[in-house]
Amino acid sequence: MTGNGADAMKKSRSIRKDNLAGYAFISPFIIGFLCFTVIPMGASLFLSFTSYDLFTAPKWIGLDNFKEMFTGDEKYWQSLKVTFTYVLAGVPLRLGFALFIAVILNNAAKGTAIYRTLFYLPSIIGGSVAVAIMWRNIFGNDGVINALLFFVGIDQKILWYQNPTSALWTLILLSVWQFGSSMLIFLAGLKNIPSSYLEAASVDGANRVQRFFKITLPILTPIIFFNLVMQTISAFMTFTPAYIISKGEGGPLDGTLLYSLYLFQRAFNYFQMGYASAMAWVMLVIVGLITLILFKTSSYWVHYESKEE
Amino acid sequence: MEPVNQPVREAPVFERKKAGRVSPKRILFHVFTATLAVLLLYPVIWLFVSSFKESASIFTTSHSLIPDPFILSNYAEGWKGIAGQPFLTFIKNSAIIVGLSTIGAVMSSAVIAYGFARIPFKGKKFWFACMMGTLMLPHEVLMIPQYIMFAKLDWLNSFKPIVVPQFFGHAFFIFLMIQFIRTIPEELDEAARIDGCGRFACFWRIILPLIAPALATSAIFSFYWKWEELIQPLLYLNKPELYPVSLALKLFLDTESASNWGAMFAMSAVSLLPVILVFFLFQKYIVQGISTTGLK
């Protein structure tokens, strides 16, 4: 009893010490989390029910911001439409392309390192202002894209940035152009597939296509799923290319008015901080719902192996 | 669990054909991938080439990759800067922002990661979930209240709003380092603790040197995120003498005219050079970072 008691006391002291040490080590995170995430989120929720121009005190207006957003603001709906088109077209194209290239690189045993490097480079520089400026200019009326199209026999100049649809598609292309980081993740996943699986299937007479759809793809689904979630979230937040390419306008005819860009305009061009906060919270709810839907549907198509490792 | 610090392995040999002979399939592979590589990088090459063309001829000769005449004056012109500031000022500002942010983010993330990876404490699961949650949080929700907060603190027109939050850890780096620390055998720090090594000494002397590759990966990512970042400087810095390179390029674009295309292209190229250089020098770390966390 006494020995047990002493042991227990010693144990509880060491647990207390661990607790203290643990919190000491993660304290920077907790402080930062409270100051830069929790408190701002609370403030933003409050502001979304107010009218606030940064200079006079916030005025409580209840649900007016949301009412205005959904019933009185055509530009808001336009920005939603643009953003959904951007996400729904861009993310699958990017992931599909990344997977396609990863499979090709993975099948070729040798000499792929240089391609891997070159294909990945756009992901590194893609978010920069310099690349946005570059993109704006290659799709210009006399830009290199039209020059190349002329070269292959299309002599009608395409005025990419005069048409809302084609302008948005240049942004989608810019997003697909940065497929390299997803490609790397898929490559890492492909390399972890035991070759014995594929060999066994091959012996059983499965051809290349069958092997891909029956073995490779199911094993990759958790990675695809995780990528899909993360890329969808980050696609919803895209700002820099739309801001630079349209010079902050979101034009032509609001064709590239991504959600973040419109939010930025409301907040920092018109100083409607309350309205912009309400927009931010709706965005949070939309992203949350989409993530939830993805997770809910994942049980139908994401294949988790029983843990063996 | 597989150690994360080993280089990415070459592809499994399952599909490998007899070595030595060049099969038509391999030729097809190289033709396809090489064409794709040229196509993908063509815009970047075009940007660099255009920076050596005369402003007036950039768009009249956009089909050509050979500058005629080949000039360097765009660089001289761009280097003079814009809005009364030499371009070097923008580079200096970017260097300060990137340097401080990177030191702050890497050091704080390492400390936090050690706490999560090695110390059992009450509520760990909760805080870990919070940390992962911040990875998925759309930052628009924080943009406005943070702006108001930093304005009230009188931090506008300083680097503080951009740099200070980095000293409280970055979820991506914390996650990366946790993954890395978990591959280090726990007996190693237990032995040290039996020898009387305290928690912090253990972290500082044993873990920190061992996770150097993860620190390097984090530093590289921090470097290029902060170097390229637009929205934060756009919000917080209103004086050209404080502008980093990204905002300076935006200035070039704002005052865009046929006469300064060359300078804008040249300075865009200058801004990409460090990123591309770091990429080719350290791509091993970048590839590891992405492959082990599955994030970017």
Side-chain angles (χ1 to χ4, degrees), chain A residues 73-225:
Chain A
D73 188 353
E74 266 176 52
K75 249 186 146 171
Y76 177 80
W77 285 102
Q78 169 68 12
S79 79
L80 266 185
K81 202 182 93 194
V82 167
T83 309
F84 270 92
T85 312
Y86 178 78
V87 174
L88 292 179
V91 175
L93 277 175
R94 185 178 184 169
L95 289 182
F97 198 56
L99 183 60
F100 176 62
I101 301 298
V103 168
I104 287 183
L105 287 187
N106 192 52
N107 280 346
K110 282 182 300 182
T112 62
I114 177 73
Y115 296 123
R116 202 180 62 200
T117 304
L118 294 178
F119 293 166
Y120 179 52
L121 185 64
S123 289
I124 294 278
I125 58 177
S128 65
V129 175
V131 163
I133 289 178
M134 175 189 92
W135 215 256
R136 186 183 151 82
N137 283 301
I138 62 170
F139 283 101
N141 296 346
D142 294 309
V144 65
I145 300 288
N146 278 343
L148 290 178
L149 287 178
F150 181 80
F151 186 70
V152 296
I154 301 167
D155 50 6
Q156 183 75 45
K157 268 185 196 167
I158 299 175
L159 308 177
W160 296 94
Y161 291 120
Q162 246 102 99
N163 173 310
T165 313
S166 60
L168 180 57
W169 274 92
T170 67
L171 288 185
I172 294 169
L173 270 179
L174 177 55
S175 148
V176 178
W177 187 61
Q178 300 166 56
F179 70 96
S181 60
S182 302
M183 176 199 73
L184 281 186
I185 298 168
F186 289 140
L187 263 175
L190 285 168
K191 284 179 203 312
N192 281 332
I193 298 176
S195 53
S196 59
Y197 287 16
L198 295 166
E199 269 157 21
S202 184
V203 168
D204 289 345
N207 63 30
R208 184 184 285 268
V209 175
Q210 284 171 325
R211 287 200 304 265
F212 176 76
F213 282 105
K214 299 278 183 205
I215 298 174
T216 310
L217 203 57
I219 295 181
L220 278 185
T221 46
I223 301 177
I224 296 174
F225 172 67

Side-chain angles (χ1 to χ4, degrees), chain A residues 18-19 23 36 40 106 110 115 117 120 124 137 142 177 191-192 199 211 237 243 247 260 276, chain B residues 9 14-15 26 30 40 59 62 121-122 127 138 140 144-146 199 228 250 256 279 283 286 290:
Chain A
D18 276 346
N19 280 338
Y23 277 94
F36 302 120
N106 192 52
K110 282 182 300 182
Y115 296 123
T117 304
Y120 179 52
I124 294 278
N137 283 301
D142 294 309
W177 187 61
K191 284 179 203 312
N192 281 332
E199 269 157 21
R211 287 200 304 265
M237 303 189 295
Y243 182 80
K247 288 193 169 180
S260 331
Chain B
R9 282 165 295 152
F14 174 54
E15 294 287 341
R26 276 206 74 73
H30 281 290
L40 285 172
F59 289 106
S62 58
F121 60 92
K122 224 174 155 179
W127 292 113
E140 273 80 3
I144 291 162
Q146 281 189 357
R199 284 276 186 206
E228 292 174 356
K250 186 191 158 278
E256 184 183 37
F279 172 68
Q283 57 152 317
I286 302 174
I290 293 186

Side-chain angles (χ1 to χ4, degrees), chain B residues 59-73:
Chain B
F59 289 106
T60 54
T61 63
S62 58
H63 55 277
S64 161
L65 280 187
I66 300 156
D68 179 33
F70 181 94
I71 56 162
L72 289 169
S73 59

Side-chain angles (χ1 to χ4, degrees), chain B residues 277-288:
Chain B
L277 203 70
V278 164
F279 172 68
F280 279 109
L281 286 177
F282 300 109
Q283 57 152 317
K284 191 182 93 191
Y285 293 107
I286 302 174
V287 170
Q288 266 171 28

Side-chain angles (χ1 to χ4, degrees), chain B residues 203-215:
Chain B
F203 159 72
W204 189 256
R205 291 207 201 126
I206 296 170
I207 298 295
L208 207 56
L210 285 175
I211 61 168
L215 301 180

